[in-house]
């Protein structure tokens, strides 16, 4: 041990001064950790700039986009704000983003689409379930005897909507009030399905994602979701003929 310490002292003497990043205490060299210097927000422009970065990053993170070249993001911002010619025009940029987002969403929605399709294949074999030409499935819980709506009419309904795993995403019964709407202004599965009903009826609809909200996320509804609705038709409001 004495020999090793002496050898270390000799090396120090030959070099003349200690290596950068090393603190000398007597004859023993101790490494000093270098701490990164945190960015400083010196003024309002700095704060706004950082806030913009947070907003952009959070938005695309929510879309499932986490692999981005931040140096090119900075380059694009500097080009636009500095009046320089960007590497692509607005039309190309929009198309690039749309293509990327569509591919990302399709990949994200794939498990939900496959699960819904698998469910519908099995569900259509159940007694009482009817499948229409569009792929909509329904079963009659209570048959009605009143007026039957057309696509141009308005209706008043109570309903409950659930995802494939049973999660309730909307429920007019819980709100304590039915909803009135134009049949032409809702998802295709509702437009088609409610026209099969008469006032007083209650149906259960199994709606493929193509007849619901499609492959994209819609509020609490994940993209590609097959939806189940229990719908009670309370009133048909006929649209006056022109």
């Amino acid at each position: 041990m004495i020999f090793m310490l002496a050898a270390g002292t000799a090396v120090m003497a030959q070099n003349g001064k200690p290596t950068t990043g090393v603190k000398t205490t007597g004859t023993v060299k101790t490494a000093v950790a270098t701490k990164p210097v945190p960015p400083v927000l010196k003024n309002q422009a700095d704060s706004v700039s950082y806030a913009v970065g947070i907003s952009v990053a959070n938005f695309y993170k929510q879309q499932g986009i986490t692999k981005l070249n931040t140096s090119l993001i900075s380059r694009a911002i500097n080009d636009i704000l500095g009046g320089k010619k960007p590497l692509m025009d607005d039309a190309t940029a929009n198309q690039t983003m749309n293509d990327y987002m569509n591919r990302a969403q399709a990949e994200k929605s794939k498990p939900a689409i496959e699960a819904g399709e698998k469910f519908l294949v099995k569900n259509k074999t159940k007694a009482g379930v009817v499948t229409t030409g569009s792929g909509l499935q329904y079963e009659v819980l209570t048959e009605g005897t009143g007026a039957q709506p057309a696509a141009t009419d308005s209706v008043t309904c109570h309903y409950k909507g659930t995802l494939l795993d049973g999660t309730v995403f909307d429920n007019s019964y819980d709100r304590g009030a039915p909803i009135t709407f134009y049949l032409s202004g809702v998802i295709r599965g509702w437009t088609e399905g409610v026209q099969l009903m008469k006032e007083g009826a209650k149906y259960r609809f199994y709606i493929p994602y193509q007849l619901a909200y499609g492959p994209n996320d819609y509020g609490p509804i994940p993209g590609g979701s097959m939806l189940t609705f229990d719908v009670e038709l309370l009133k048909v409001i006929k649209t006056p003929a022109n």
Side-chain angles (χ1 to χ4, degrees), residues 30 56 72 86 98 102 132 146-147 152 171-172 179 204 211 223 238:
T30 304
V56 171
L72 284 175
N98 287 336
N102 287 337
T132 71
T152 55
N171 191 336
S172 68
I179 184 171
R204 178 168 294 157
L211 304 179
K238 288 292 185 180

Side-chain angles (χ1 to χ4, degrees), residues 39-78:
V40 178
L41 304 178
K42 298 179 181 179
N43 50 47
Q44 188 179 39
D46 288 351
S47 297
V48 170
S49 299
Y50 197 76
V52 168
I54 289 176
S55 177
V56 171
N58 281 334
F59 173 78
Y60 286 108
K61 185 177 180 180
Q62 290 170 3
Q63 308 307 311
I65 301 175
T66 57
K67 295 181 180 179
L68 291 174
N69 188 328
T70 54
S71 64
L72 284 175
I73 294 175
S74 179
R75 164 77 181 272
I77 293 172
N78 289 330

Side-chain angles (χ1 to χ4, degrees), residues 93-114:
N94 289 334
Q95 188 62 51
T96 299
M97 285 302 304
N98 287 336
D99 291 345
Y100 184 90
M101 295 294 285
N102 287 337
R103 287 196 301 271
Q105 183 63 59
E107 190 64 27
K108 180 181 177 183
S109 302
K110 187 176 179 181
I113 292 174
E114 292 177 346

Side-chain angles (χ1 to χ4, degrees), residues 171-189:
N171 191 336
S172 68
Y173 295 99
D174 286 348
R175 292 194 297 272
I179 184 171
T180 300
F181 55 88
Y182 283 104
L183 266 184
S184 59
V186 290
I187 58 175
R188 291 166 57 198

Side-chain angles (χ1 to χ4, degrees), residues 27-212:
T27 58
V28 180
K29 297 182 291 182
T30 304
V32 178
T34 303
K35 295 182 178 180
V37 179
V40 178
L41 304 178
K42 298 179 181 179
N43 50 47
Q44 188 179 39
D46 288 351
S47 297
V48 170
S49 299
Y50 197 76
V52 168
I54 289 176
S55 177
V56 171
N58 281 334
F59 173 78
Y60 286 108
K61 185 177 180 180
Q62 290 170 3
Q63 308 307 311
I65 301 175
T66 57
K67 295 181 180 179
L68 291 174
N69 188 328
T70 54
S71 64
L72 284 175
I73 294 175
S74 179
R75 164 77 181 272
I77 293 172
N78 289 330
D79 285 348
I80 296 299
L81 296 182
K84 299 178 182 179
K85 184 178 180 180
L87 300 180
M88 61 177 69
D89 58 27
D90 288 349
T92 303
N94 289 334
Q95 188 62 51
T96 299
M97 285 302 304
N98 287 336
D99 291 345
Y100 184 90
M101 295 294 285
N102 287 337
R103 287 196 301 271
Q105 183 63 59
E107 190 64 27
K108 180 181 177 183
S109 302
K110 187 176 179 181
I113 292 174
E114 292 177 346
E117 291 175 342
K118 182 178 180 180
F119 172 86
L120 291 169
V121 167
K122 184 177 180 179
N123 192 60
K124 70 180 180 180
T125 64
K126 288 176 53 179
V129 173
V130 180
T131 303
T132 71
S134 69
L136 173 69
Q137 295 181 5
Y138 71 92
E139 56 182 313
V140 179
L141 304 180
T142 303
E143 192 58 273
T145 58
Q148 189 167 358
T152 55
D153 295 333
S154 297
V155 294
T156 300
C157 295
H158 257 314
Y159 66 94
K160 181 178 75 171
T162 59
L163 302 176
L164 186 58
D165 63 2
T167 299
V168 178
F169 60 84
D170 198 2
N171 191 336
S172 68
Y173 295 99
D174 286 348
R175 292 194 297 272
I179 184 171
T180 300
F181 55 88
Y182 283 104
L183 266 184
S184 59
V186 290
I187 58 175
R188 291 166 57 198
W190 269 64
T191 302
E192 177 184 354
V194 176
Q195 288 184 79
L196 302 172
M197 305 173 71
K198 295 179 180 180
E199 284 181 340
K202 186 173 183 179
Y203 282 22
R204 178 168 294 157
F205 296 109
Y206 305 94
I207 303 179
Y209 81 97
Q210 303 97 319
L211 304 179

